[in-house]
Structure formats: C-alpha cells, structure tokens
Amino acid sequence: MSTIGDTGKRREEIAIDYFRRVDAGDPTVIDLFTQDAQMFYPKFGFARGRAQIGAFAQGLNLGIATLQHEIEGFTVLSSGNYVVVEGAENGTTRSGVDFPDGVTSFGLFCNVFEFQGDFIKRLHIYVDPDFAGTHDEGAAWGRSVQDGVGSL
C-alpha cells in the first residue's frame, strides 16, 4: 500500500476513534486535536483551540445524557488531508427524551475532518441539534410540506 494510502487509513481510524471517545464521554478526545484546532457546530458556531472545544463538549453533555454513534453503518471517505464521515446517532437527553424520534429528528449527521499530520486541525459537524424535537417552529414547515407531499 502506498504512503498516501497508509496515511488516509490511519486518519480514518483516528476519525472513528473520535466517535468512540465521544460516545464514552472520554475527555481524552481533545488529545486528537491540534492545539489551534477549529470546530464548527450548528447553533453553537465556532470553537477555536483545545480549551474551547473541550468547553463545547462539556456544554453539550449538559443536555445529552447518552449518545451513541452507529459506527458500523458509517460511510467514510478520504481525500488528501480530509476525512468525511456520514452516519447516524441516537441517545437520550438529560430530560429523558430518546432521539431520534423518526418524525422531526432522524439522527443523521456528517462530519468533515481536516488533518494536520495525525491530528484533527478542523472539524465541522453538520447535524440538527434539536435532538429532542422541541424546536416546533423550525419543524412546522417540514410537517406541512410532508403533509402536502404525502398526498401526491
């Protein structure tokens, strides 16, 4: 296997390890990032550096009791310094609501990792952060369109 292939495979393994650590609530997940890493998360915005990324993770844990990524079903693509992971997640909020509900939340996400060597330099997470399906105004248009599409 070529050096580029070995590097890509190693980076894919690091990306998968990221999800395992997140699911376990393992604070060492931060060790996978460069010191000056950038992370984006919808409705949160950007975190810059390990300290801010760690603070984001702690904040997310205030609302999420359990989180499990369905690693076996991931689609993983690599190109150059990038690894893209598409998949599904499920869990329970601290208020006891299981997600996804299959009505307004579906548990699908896509993460784009950019690597510098063997460390994550940039992570952009694309997911609906309304895990419990409580953002009624945001979901109302979807339900009305589904109702219309269902009659076609």
Side-chain angles (χ1 to χ4, degrees):
M1 186 179 271
S2 71
T3 303
I4 294 172
D6 291 343
T7 299
K9 182 67 174 162
R10 188 171 58 252
R11 288 173 173 171
E12 288 180 5
E13 291 169 359
I14 292 166
I16 298 303
D17 187 36
Y18 160 86
F19 290 104
R20 287 191 177 104
R21 292 184 194 199
V22 166
D23 289 354
D26 184 346
T28 67
V29 69
I30 203 70
D31 297 338
L32 299 175
F33 290 85
T34 63
Q35 291 293 332
D36 63 345
Q38 173 188 289
M39 186 205 72
F40 170 80
Y41 191 89
K43 303 293 185 198
F44 171 80
F46 292 92
R48 291 175 175 83
R50 284 183 174 181
Q52 287 185 8
I53 293 170
F56 162 81
Q58 289 176 340
L60 186 62
N61 284 337
L62 294 175
I64 304 293
T66 64
L67 181 63
Q68 184 68 42
H69 291 88
E70 299 172 15
I71 294 172
E72 302 77 30
F74 281 0
T75 298
V76 181
L77 304 169
S78 298
S79 180
N81 291 330
Y82 293 90
V83 174
V84 177
V85 178
E86 180 185 52
E89 61 189 6
N90 61 74
T92 305
T93 66
R94 294 265 178 217
S95 61
V97 176
D98 292 331
F99 63 88
D101 65 12
V103 177
T104 60
S105 67
F106 297 91
L108 301 177
F109 70 88
C110 185
N111 284 17
V112 180
F113 296 85
E114 180 182 356
F115 282 85
Q116 182 176 48
D118 286 342
F119 293 94
I120 302 165
K121 172 125 181 106
R122 183 177 72 88
L123 171 58
H124 285 199
I125 301 169
Y126 301 100
V127 65
D128 180 357
D130 182 17
F131 296 108
T134 58
H135 304 162
D136 291 332
E137 281 185 42
W141 74 268
R143 285 191 293 270
S144 68
V145 172
Q146 278 183 334
D147 291 345
V149 170
S151 65
L152 297 178

